Amino acid sequence: MYFAALLARTEDGWEASDTELDDVETLSDLTDLAREASVDEDTVLVFIEQEDAWFGVVRVDGEEDPRIYVSDASAAARSSYGEILLTDELLGREPGAEDTIAALEELVGLDGTEDGEPETTANDDDDDDGPSAGVVPAGPIGDSGVLSDLGLPEAELLMLRTDALAEIADALGAAEVLETVR
């Protein structure tokens, strides 16, 4: 079960609205949705949560690039909404690198078992080369200072686990507003 909401900062405080992410396929779509909720290009926060497994915060300030924080990247990677947030840039990958490698392997038919190479299993990952390009790290990823200037220090954001969005909204002074859309 997912929960998604927009918090738009106005001169009178925060305004919350729940949002449907069914038509959102990319971070660009999500950013556009946030900008539409903005009043005078003020700050808009997009909250996404999956049943205490992970949460994400996307901050959009006017026309600036969105700032993203995800509490558990590996859990979010198993979610269609989480995948929207886990951009190549956020994961430290060359944009489109995974797609390029997959396309090249498909083009030449390489599956790692050519020339008598044995098929690998999950336990054969004894390489000292580090994680493979497709591996998403466990734990938090992104801009952990995304809410620092709004009242939630980086250290506190990193410690949040369950009911995180309520705690974030409380720190921002928007708990009651967020609760109206839950």
Side-chain angles (χ1 to χ4, degrees):
M1 182 74 141
Y2 290 93
F3 171 73
L6 294 171
L7 274 182
R9 191 154 100 182
T10 69
E11 59 186 45
D12 297 327
W14 292 97
E15 290 182 7
S17 60
D18 61 344
T19 186
E20 280 294 321
L21 298 179
D22 294 341
D23 296 330
V24 175
E25 295 180 8
T26 65
L27 180 60
S28 180
D29 294 343
L30 188 61
T31 303
D32 291 344
L33 184 68
R35 286 190 177 119
E36 289 171 12
S38 176
V39 177
D40 298 325
E41 295 189 0
D42 278 336
T43 299
V44 176
L45 302 175
V46 180
F47 291 153
I48 302 174
E49 179 180 56
Q50 181 187 6
E51 296 181 339
D52 294 330
W54 67 274
F55 69 91
V57 177
V58 178
R59 178 176 177 167
V60 178
D61 293 300
E63 292 300 316
E64 292 181 27
D65 287 341
R67 296 169 56 194
I68 304 166
Y69 173 80
V70 177
S71 67
D72 187 336
S74 63
R78 295 185 297 270
S79 152
S80 59
Y81 296 131
E83 286 180 341
I84 293 170
L85 304 181
L86 298 175
T87 63
D88 287 334
E89 181 181 344
L90 190 67
L91 294 169
R93 294 191 288 220
E94 186 73 29
E98 193 172 284
D99 295 337
T100 302
I101 291 168
L104 288 173
E105 286 176 347
E106 184 177 315
L107 181 65
V108 295
L110 298 178
D111 66 0
T113 60
E114 294 74 32
D115 300 324
E117 295 176 29
E119 289 190 42
T120 58
T121 62
N123 295 334
D124 291 341
D125 196 16
D126 292 333
D127 291 359
D128 290 331
D129 297 339
S132 66
V135 174
V136 176
I141 192 168
D143 184 352
S144 56
V146 68
L147 301 172
S148 293
D149 65 323
L150 298 175
L152 187 67
E154 187 173 339
E156 288 182 32
L157 180 63
L158 290 168
M159 292 188 318
L160 295 178
R161 295 290 172 252
T162 58
D163 205 25
L165 298 186
E167 290 187 41
I168 292 170
D170 188 44
L172 302 177
E176 288 179 21
V177 174
L178 181 65
E179 201 55 41
T180 63
V181 296
R182 271 204 166 212

CSV table of all heavy atoms in Angstrom, one decimal, residues 80-140:
chain,number,residue,atom,x,y,z
A,80,SER,N,7.5,0.2,-8.1
A,80,SER,CA,7.3,1.1,-9.3
A,80,SER,C,7.4,2.5,-9.0
A,80,SER,O,8.0,3.3,-9.8
A,80,SER,CB,6.0,0.7,-10.1
A,80,SER,OG,4.9,1.0,-9.2
A,81,TYR,N,6.9,3.0,-7.9
A,81,TYR,CA,7.0,4.4,-7.5
A,81,TYR,C,8.4,4.7,-7.1
A,81,TYR,O,8.9,5.8,-7.3
A,81,TYR,CB,6.0,4.8,-6.5
A,81,TYR,CG,4.6,4.6,-7.0
A,81,TYR,CD1,3.6,4.0,-6.2
A,81,TYR,CD2,4.2,5.2,-8.2
A,81,TYR,CE1,2.3,3.8,-6.6
A,81,TYR,CE2,2.9,5.0,-8.6
A,81,TYR,CZ,2.0,4.4,-7.9
A,81,TYR,OH,0.7,4.2,-8.3
A,82,GLY,N,9.1,3.8,-6.4
A,82,GLY,CA,10.5,4.0,-6.0
A,82,GLY,C,11.4,4.1,-7.2
A,82,GLY,O,12.3,4.9,-7.1
A,83,GLU,N,11.2,3.3,-8.2
A,83,GLU,CA,12.0,3.4,-9.4
A,83,GLU,C,12.0,4.8,-10.0
A,83,GLU,O,12.9,5.2,-10.7
A,83,GLU,CB,11.6,2.3,-10.4
A,83,GLU,CG,12.0,0.9,-10.0
A,83,GLU,CD,11.5,-0.1,-11.0
A,83,GLU,OE1,10.6,0.2,-11.8
A,83,GLU,OE2,12.1,-1.2,-11.0
A,84,ILE,N,10.9,5.5,-9.9
A,84,ILE,CA,10.8,6.8,-10.4
A,84,ILE,C,11.8,7.7,-9.8
A,84,ILE,O,12.4,8.6,-10.4
A,84,ILE,CB,9.4,7.4,-10.2
A,84,ILE,CG1,8.3,6.6,-11.1
A,84,ILE,CG2,9.3,8.9,-10.5
A,84,ILE,CD1,6.9,7.0,-10.7
A,85,LEU,N,12.0,7.6,-8.5
A,85,LEU,CA,12.9,8.4,-7.7
A,85,LEU,C,14.4,8.0,-7.9
A,85,LEU,O,15.3,8.8,-7.8
A,85,LEU,CB,12.6,8.4,-6.2
A,85,LEU,CG,11.2,8.7,-5.9
A,85,LEU,CD1,11.0,8.7,-4.3
A,85,LEU,CD2,10.8,10.1,-6.4
A,86,LEU,N,14.7,6.7,-8.2
A,86,LEU,CA,16.0,6.2,-8.2
A,86,LEU,C,16.6,6.5,-9.6
A,86,LEU,O,16.8,5.5,-10.4
A,86,LEU,CB,16.1,4.8,-7.9
A,86,LEU,CG,15.6,4.5,-6.4
A,86,LEU,CD1,15.6,3.0,-6.2
A,86,LEU,CD2,16.5,5.2,-5.4
A,87,THR,N,16.9,7.7,-9.9
A,87,THR,CA,17.5,8.1,-11.2
A,87,THR,C,19.0,7.6,-11.3
A,87,THR,O,19.6,7.3,-10.3
A,87,THR,CB,17.5,9.6,-11.4
A,87,THR,OG1,18.3,10.2,-10.4
A,87,THR,CG2,16.0,10.1,-11.3
A,88,ASP,N,19.5,7.5,-12.5
A,88,ASP,CA,20.9,7.2,-12.7
A,88,ASP,C,21.8,8.1,-11.9
A,88,ASP,O,22.8,7.7,-11.3
A,88,ASP,CB,21.3,7.2,-14.2
A,88,ASP,CG,20.7,6.0,-15.0
A,88,ASP,OD1,20.4,5.0,-14.4
A,88,ASP,OD2,20.5,6.2,-16.2
A,89,GLU,N,21.5,9.4,-12.0
A,89,GLU,CA,22.3,10.4,-11.3
A,89,GLU,C,22.3,10.2,-9.8
A,89,GLU,O,23.3,10.2,-9.2
A,89,GLU,CB,21.7,11.8,-11.6
A,89,GLU,CG,22.5,12.9,-10.9
A,89,GLU,CD,21.9,14.3,-11.2
A,89,GLU,OE1,21.1,14.4,-12.1
A,89,GLU,OE2,22.3,15.2,-10.5
A,90,LEU,N,21.1,9.9,-9.2
A,90,LEU,CA,21.0,9.6,-7.8
A,90,LEU,C,21.8,8.4,-7.4
A,90,LEU,O,22.5,8.3,-6.3
A,90,LEU,CB,19.6,9.4,-7.4
A,90,LEU,CG,19.3,9.4,-5.9
A,90,LEU,CD1,19.6,10.7,-5.3
A,90,LEU,CD2,17.8,9.0,-5.6
A,91,LEU,N,21.8,7.4,-8.3
A,91,LEU,CA,22.6,6.1,-8.0
A,91,LEU,C,24.0,6.2,-8.4
A,91,LEU,O,24.8,5.2,-8.2
A,91,LEU,CB,21.9,5.0,-8.7
A,91,LEU,CG,20.5,4.6,-8.2
A,91,LEU,CD1,19.8,3.6,-9.2
A,91,LEU,CD2,20.5,4.1,-6.8
A,92,GLY,N,24.5,7.3,-9.0
A,92,GLY,CA,25.9,7.5,-9.3
A,92,GLY,C,26.2,6.7,-10.6
A,92,GLY,O,27.4,6.3,-10.7
A,93,ARG,N,25.3,6.4,-11.4
A,93,ARG,CA,25.5,5.7,-12.7
A,93,ARG,C,25.5,6.7,-13.9
A,93,ARG,O,24.9,7.7,-13.8
A,93,ARG,CB,24.4,4.7,-12.9
A,93,ARG,CG,24.4,3.6,-11.9
A,93,ARG,CD,23.5,2.4,-12.4
A,93,ARG,NE,22.1,2.8,-12.3
A,93,ARG,CZ,21.1,2.0,-11.9
A,93,ARG,NH1,21.4,0.8,-11.6
A,93,ARG,NH2,19.9,2.4,-11.9
A,94,GLU,N,26.2,6.2,-14.9
A,94,GLU,CA,26.2,7.0,-16.2
A,94,GLU,C,24.8,6.9,-16.7
A,94,GLU,O,24.2,5.8,-16.8
A,94,GLU,CB,27.2,6.3,-17.1
A,94,GLU,CG,27.4,7.0,-18.4
A,94,GLU,CD,28.2,8.3,-18.3
A,94,GLU,OE1,29.0,8.3,-17.4
A,94,GLU,OE2,28.0,9.2,-19.1
A,95,PRO,N,24.2,8.0,-17.0
A,95,PRO,CA,22.8,8.0,-17.5
A,95,PRO,C,22.6,7.1,-18.7
A,95,PRO,O,23.4,7.1,-19.7
A,95,PRO,CB,22.5,9.5,-18.0
A,95,PRO,CG,23.5,10.3,-17.2
A,95,PRO,CD,24.7,9.4,-17.0
A,96,GLY,N,21.7,6.1,-18.6
A,96,GLY,CA,21.4,5.2,-19.6
A,96,GLY,C,22.4,4.0,-19.8
A,96,GLY,O,22.3,3.2,-20.6
A,97,ALA,N,23.4,4.0,-18.9
A,97,ALA,CA,24.4,2.9,-19.0
A,97,ALA,C,23.8,1.5,-18.9
A,97,ALA,O,24.2,0.6,-19.6
A,97,ALA,CB,25.4,3.1,-17.9
A,98,GLU,N,22.9,1.3,-18.0
A,98,GLU,CA,22.3,0.0,-17.8
A,98,GLU,C,21.5,-0.4,-19.1
A,98,GLU,O,21.6,-1.6,-19.5
A,98,GLU,CB,21.3,0.0,-16.6
A,98,GLU,CG,20.9,-1.3,-16.1
A,98,GLU,CD,20.1,-1.2,-14.9
A,98,GLU,OE1,20.8,-1.0,-13.8
A,98,GLU,OE2,18.9,-1.4,-14.9
A,99,ASP,N,20.8,0.5,-19.7
A,99,ASP,CA,20.1,0.2,-20.9
A,99,ASP,C,21.1,-0.1,-22.1
A,99,ASP,O,20.8,-1.0,-22.9
A,99,ASP,CB,19.2,1.4,-21.3
A,99,ASP,CG,18.1,1.6,-20.3
A,99,ASP,OD1,17.7,0.7,-19.6
A,99,ASP,OD2,17.6,2.8,-20.3
A,100,THR,N,22.2,0.7,-22.1
A,100,THR,CA,23.2,0.5,-23.2
A,100,THR,C,23.8,-0.9,-23.1
A,100,THR,O,24.0,-1.6,-24.0
A,100,THR,CB,24.2,1.6,-23.1
A,100,THR,OG1,23.6,2.8,-23.3
A,100,THR,CG2,25.3,1.4,-24.2
A,101,ILE,N,24.2,-1.3,-21.9
A,101,ILE,CA,24.8,-2.6,-21.6
A,101,ILE,C,23.9,-3.7,-22.0
A,101,ILE,O,24.2,-4.7,-22.7
A,101,ILE,CB,25.3,-2.7,-20.2
A,101,ILE,CG1,26.5,-1.8,-19.9
A,101,ILE,CG2,25.7,-4.1,-19.9
A,101,ILE,CD1,26.9,-1.6,-18.5
A,102,ALA,N,22.6,-3.6,-21.5
A,102,ALA,CA,21.6,-4.6,-21.9
A,102,ALA,C,21.4,-4.7,-23.4
A,102,ALA,O,21.3,-5.8,-23.9
A,102,ALA,CB,20.3,-4.3,-21.1
A,103,ALA,N,21.3,-3.6,-24.0
A,103,ALA,CA,21.1,-3.6,-25.5
A,103,ALA,C,22.3,-4.2,-26.2
A,103,ALA,O,22.1,-5.0,-27.2
A,103,ALA,CB,20.9,-2.2,-26.0
A,104,LEU,N,23.5,-3.9,-25.8
A,104,LEU,CA,24.7,-4.5,-26.4
A,104,LEU,C,24.7,-6.0,-26.2
A,104,LEU,O,25.1,-6.8,-27.1
A,104,LEU,CB,26.0,-3.8,-25.9
A,104,LEU,CG,26.2,-2.4,-26.4
A,104,LEU,CD1,27.4,-1.8,-25.7
A,104,LEU,CD2,26.4,-2.4,-27.9
A,105,GLU,N,24.5,-6.5,-25.0
A,105,GLU,CA,24.5,-7.9,-24.7
A,105,GLU,C,23.4,-8.6,-25.5
A,105,GLU,O,23.7,-9.7,-26.0
A,105,GLU,CB,24.2,-8.1,-23.2
A,105,GLU,CG,25.4,-7.8,-22.3
A,105,GLU,CD,25.2,-7.9,-20.8
A,105,GLU,OE1,24.0,-8.0,-20.4
A,105,GLU,OE2,26.2,-7.9,-20.1
A,106,GLU,N,22.3,-8.0,-25.7
A,106,GLU,CA,21.2,-8.6,-26.5
A,106,GLU,C,21.6,-8.7,-27.9
A,106,GLU,O,21.4,-9.7,-28.6
A,106,GLU,CB,19.9,-7.9,-26.3
A,106,GLU,CG,18.7,-8.5,-27.0
A,106,GLU,CD,17.5,-7.8,-26.8
A,106,GLU,OE1,17.2,-7.4,-25.6
A,106,GLU,OE2,16.7,-7.5,-27.8
A,107,LEU,N,22.3,-7.6,-28.4
A,107,LEU,CA,22.7,-7.5,-29.8
A,107,LEU,C,23.7,-8.6,-30.1
A,107,LEU,O,23.6,-9.3,-31.2
A,107,LEU,CB,23.3,-6.1,-30.1
A,107,LEU,CG,23.8,-5.9,-31.5
A,107,LEU,CD1,22.6,-5.9,-32.4
A,107,LEU,CD2,24.5,-4.6,-31.5
A,108,VAL,N,24.6,-8.9,-29.3
A,108,VAL,CA,25.7,-9.9,-29.6
A,108,VAL,C,25.3,-11.2,-28.9
A,108,VAL,O,26.1,-12.2,-29.1
A,108,VAL,CB,27.1,-9.4,-29.1
A,108,VAL,CG1,27.5,-8.2,-30.0
A,108,VAL,CG2,27.1,-9.1,-27.7
A,109,GLY,N,24.3,-11.3,-28.2
A,109,GLY,CA,23.9,-12.6,-27.6
A,109,GLY,C,24.7,-13.1,-26.4
A,109,GLY,O,24.9,-14.3,-26.2
A,110,LEU,N,25.3,-12.1,-25.7
A,110,LEU,CA,26.2,-12.5,-24.6
A,110,LEU,C,25.3,-12.7,-23.4
A,110,LEU,O,24.5,-11.9,-23.0
A,110,LEU,CB,27.2,-11.4,-24.3
A,110,LEU,CG,28.2,-11.1,-25.4
A,110,LEU,CD1,29.1,-10.0,-25.0
A,110,LEU,CD2,29.0,-12.4,-25.8
A,111,ASP,N,25.5,-13.9,-22.7
A,111,ASP,CA,24.9,-14.1,-21.4
A,111,ASP,C,25.8,-14.6,-20.4
A,111,ASP,O,25.4,-15.0,-19.3
A,111,ASP,CB,23.7,-15.1,-21.6
A,111,ASP,CG,24.2,-16.5,-22.0
A,111,ASP,OD1,25.4,-16.7,-22.1
A,111,ASP,OD2,23.4,-17.4,-22.1
A,112,GLY,N,27.1,-14.5,-20.6
A,112,GLY,CA,28.1,-14.8,-19.6
A,112,GLY,C,28.5,-16.3,-19.6
A,112,GLY,O,29.3,-16.7,-18.8
A,113,THR,N,28.0,-17.1,-20.5
A,113,THR,CA,28.3,-18.5,-20.5
A,113,THR,C,29.0,-18.9,-21.8
A,113,THR,O,29.1,-20.0,-22.2
A,113,THR,CB,27.0,-19.3,-20.4
A,113,THR,OG1,26.2,-19.0,-21.4
A,113,THR,CG2,26.4,-19.1,-19.0
A,114,GLU,N,29.6,-17.9,-22.5
A,114,GLU,CA,30.3,-18.2,-23.7
A,114,GLU,C,31.6,-18.9,-23.5
A,114,GLU,O,32.2,-18.8,-22.4
A,114,GLU,CB,30.6,-16.9,-24.5
A,114,GLU,CG,29.4,-16.2,-25.0
A,114,GLU,CD,28.6,-15.4,-23.9
A,114,GLU,OE1,29.2,-15.0,-22.9
A,114,GLU,OE2,27.4,-15.4,-24.0
A,115,ASP,N,32.1,-19.6,-24.5
A,115,ASP,CA,33.4,-20.3,-24.4
A,115,ASP,C,33.5,-21.1,-23.2
A,115,ASP,O,34.6,-21.2,-22.6
A,115,ASP,CB,34.5,-19.2,-24.5
A,115,ASP,CG,34.5,-18.4,-25.8
A,115,ASP,OD1,34.1,-19.0,-26.8
A,115,ASP,OD2,34.8,-17.2,-25.7
A,116,GLY,N,32.5,-21.8,-22.8
A,116,GLY,CA,32.6,-22.8,-21.7
A,116,GLY,C,32.6,-22.1,-20.3
A,116,GLY,O,32.8,-22.8,-19.3
A,117,GLU,N,32.3,-20.8,-20.2
A,117,GLU,CA,32.3,-20.2,-18.9
A,117,GLU,C,31.1,-20.8,-18.1
A,117,GLU,O,30.0,-20.9,-18.7
A,117,GLU,CB,32.1,-18.7,-19.0
A,117,GLU,CG,33.2,-18.0,-19.7
A,117,GLU,CD,32.9,-16.5,-19.8
A,117,GLU,OE1,32.2,-15.9,-19.1
A,117,GLU,OE2,33.5,-15.9,-20.8
A,118,PRO,N,31.3,-21.1,-16.9
A,118,PRO,CA,30.1,-21.7,-16.1
A,118,PRO,C,29.1,-20.6,-15.8
A,118,PRO,O,29.5,-19.4,-15.7
A,118,PRO,CB,30.8,-22.2,-14.8
A,118,PRO,CG,32.0,-21.4,-14.7
A,118,PRO,CD,32.5,-21.0,-16.1
A,119,GLU,N,27.9,-21.0,-15.7
A,119,GLU,CA,26.8,-20.1,-15.3
A,119,GLU,C,27.1,-19.7,-13.8
A,119,GLU,O,27.4,-20.6,-13.0
A,119,GLU,CB,25.4,-20.7,-15.4
A,119,GLU,CG,25.0,-20.8,-16.8
A,119,GLU,CD,23.6,-21.2,-16.9
A,119,GLU,OE1,22.7,-20.6,-16.2
A,119,GLU,OE2,23.3,-22.0,-17.8
A,120,THR,N,26.9,-18.5,-13.4
A,120,THR,CA,27.1,-18.1,-12.1
A,120,THR,C,25.8,-18.2,-11.3
A,120,THR,O,24.7,-18.0,-11.8
A,120,THR,CB,27.6,-16.6,-12.0
A,120,THR,OG1,26.7,-15.8,-12.6
A,120,THR,CG2,29.0,-16.5,-12.6
A,121,THR,N,25.9,-18.4,-10.0
A,121,THR,CA,24.8,-18.4,-9.1
A,121,THR,C,24.9,-17.2,-8.2
A,121,THR,O,26.0,-16.5,-8.1
A,121,THR,CB,24.7,-19.7,-8.3
A,121,THR,OG1,25.9,-19.8,-7.5
A,121,THR,CG2,24.6,-20.9,-9.2
A,122,ALA,N,23.9,-17.0,-7.4
A,122,ALA,CA,24.0,-15.8,-6.4
A,122,ALA,C,25.2,-15.9,-5.5
A,122,ALA,O,25.7,-14.9,-5.0
A,122,ALA,CB,22.7,-15.8,-5.7
A,123,ASN,N,25.6,-17.1,-5.2
A,123,ASN,CA,26.7,-17.3,-4.2
A,123,ASN,C,28.1,-17.2,-4.9
A,123,ASN,O,29.1,-17.2,-4.2
A,123,ASN,CB,26.6,-18.7,-3.5
A,123,ASN,CG,25.4,-18.8,-2.7
A,123,ASN,OD1,24.9,-17.8,-2.2
A,123,ASN,ND2,24.9,-20.0,-2.5
A,124,ASP,N,28.1,-17.0,-6.2
A,124,ASP,CA,29.4,-16.9,-6.9
A,124,ASP,C,29.9,-15.5,-7.0
A,124,ASP,O,30.9,-15.2,-7.7
A,124,ASP,CB,29.3,-17.5,-8.3
A,124,ASP,CG,29.1,-19.0,-8.3
A,124,ASP,OD1,29.4,-19.6,-7.3
A,124,ASP,OD2,28.6,-19.5,-9.3
A,125,ASP,N,29.3,-14.6,-6.2
A,125,ASP,CA,29.7,-13.2,-6.3
A,125,ASP,C,30.9,-12.9,-5.5
A,125,ASP,O,30.8,-12.1,-4.5
A,125,ASP,CB,28.5,-12.3,-6.0
A,125,ASP,CG,28.7,-10.9,-6.4
A,125,ASP,OD1,29.5,-10.6,-7.2
A,125,ASP,OD2,27.9,-10.1,-5.9
A,126,ASP,N,32.1,-13.5,-5.7
A,126,ASP,CA,33.2,-13.3,-4.9
A,126,ASP,C,34.2,-12.3,-5.6
A,126,ASP,O,35.4,-12.3,-5.2
A,126,ASP,CB,34.0,-14.7,-4.7
A,126,ASP,CG,33.2,-15.6,-3.9
A,126,ASP,OD1,32.4,-15.1,-3.0
A,126,ASP,OD2,33.3,-16.8,-4.0
A,127,ASP,N,33.7,-11.5,-6.5
A,127,ASP,CA,34.6,-10.5,-7.2
A,127,ASP,C,35.1,-9.5,-6.2
A,127,ASP,O,34.3,-9.1,-5.3
A,127,ASP,CB,33.8,-9.8,-8.3
A,127,ASP,CG,33.5,-10.7,-9.5
A,127,ASP,OD1,33.9,-11.9,-9.4
A,127,ASP,OD2,32.8,-10.2,-10.4
A,128,ASP,N,36.3,-9.0,-6.3
A,128,ASP,CA,36.8,-8.0,-5.5
A,128,ASP,C,36.6,-6.6,-6.2
A,128,ASP,O,37.2,-5.6,-5.8
A,128,ASP,CB,38.3,-8.2,-5.2
A,128,ASP,CG,38.5,-9.4,-4.2
A,128,ASP,OD1,37.5,-9.6,-3.4
A,128,ASP,OD2,39.5,-10.0,-4.3
A,129,ASP,N,35.9,-6.6,-7.4
A,129,ASP,CA,35.7,-5.4,-8.2
A,129,ASP,C,34.6,-4.5,-7.6
A,129,ASP,O,34.3,-3.5,-8.1
A,129,ASP,CB,35.3,-5.8,-9.6
A,129,ASP,CG,36.5,-6.5,-10.3
A,129,ASP,OD1,37.6,-6.4,-9.8
A,129,ASP,OD2,36.2,-7.3,-11.3
A,130,GLY,N,33.9,-5.0,-6.5
A,130,GLY,CA,32.9,-4.2,-6.0
A,130,GLY,C,31.5,-4.6,-6.5
A,130,GLY,O,31.4,-5.5,-7.3
A,131,PRO,N,30.5,-3.8,-6.2
A,131,PRO,CA,29.1,-4.2,-6.6
A,131,PRO,C,29.0,-4.0,-8.2
A,131,PRO,O,29.6,-3.2,-8.7
A,131,PRO,CB,28.2,-3.2,-5.9
A,131,PRO,CG,29.1,-2.1,-5.5
A,131,PRO,CD,30.5,-2.6,-5.4
A,132,SER,N,28.1,-4.7,-8.7
A,132,SER,CA,27.9,-4.6,-10.2
A,132,SER,C,27.1,-3.3,-10.4
A,132,SER,O,26.5,-2.8,-9.6
A,132,SER,CB,27.1,-5.8,-10.7
A,132,SER,OG,25.8,-5.9,-10.1
A,133,ALA,N,27.1,-3.0,-11.7
A,133,ALA,CA,26.4,-1.7,-12.1
A,133,ALA,C,25.0,-1.7,-11.8
A,133,ALA,O,24.4,-0.6,-11.6
A,133,ALA,CB,26.7,-1.4,-13.6
A,134,GLY,N,24.3,-2.8,-11.8
A,134,GLY,CA,22.9,-2.9,-11.6
A,134,GLY,C,22.4,-2.9,-10.1
A,134,GLY,O,21.3,-2.9,-9.8
A,135,VAL,N,23.4,-3.0,-9.2
A,135,VAL,CA,23.1,-3.2,-7.8
A,135,VAL,C,22.7,-1.8,-7.2
A,135,VAL,O,23.4,-0.8,-7.4
A,135,VAL,CB,24.2,-3.8,-7.0
A,135,VAL,CG1,24.0,-3.8,-5.5
A,135,VAL,CG2,24.5,-5.2,-7.5
A,136,VAL,N,21.6,-1.8,-6.4
A,136,VAL,CA,21.2,-0.6,-5.8
A,136,VAL,C,21.5,-0.7,-4.3
A,136,VAL,O,21.3,-1.8,-3.7
A,136,VAL,CB,19.6,-0.4,-5.9
A,136,VAL,CG1,19.1,0.8,-5.1
A,136,VAL,CG2,19.3,-0.3,-7.4
A,137,PRO,N,22.2,0.3,-3.7
A,137,PRO,CA,22.6,0.2,-2.3
A,137,PRO,C,21.5,0.1,-1.3
A,137,PRO,O,20.4,0.7,-1.6
A,137,PRO,CB,23.4,1.4,-2.1
A,137,PRO,CG,22.9,2.4,-3.1
A,137,PRO,CD,22.5,1.6,-4.3
A,138,ALA,N,21.7,-0.7,-0.3
A,138,ALA,CA,20.7,-0.7,0.8
A,138,ALA,C,20.9,0.6,1.6
A,138,ALA,O,22.0,1.1,1.7
A,138,ALA,CB,20.9,-1.9,1.7
A,139,GLY,N,19.8,1.1,2.2
A,139,GLY,CA,19.9,2.2,3.1
A,139,GLY,C,19.6,3.5,2.3
A,139,GLY,O,19.2,3.5,1.2
A,140,PRO,N,19.8,4.6,3.0
A,140,PRO,CA,19.4,5.9,2.5
A,140,PRO,C,20.3,6.3,1.3
A,140,PRO,O,21.4,6.0,1.2
A,140,PRO,CB,19.6,6.9,3.7
A,140,PRO,CG,20.0,6.1,4.8
A,140,PRO,CD,20.3,4.7,4.4
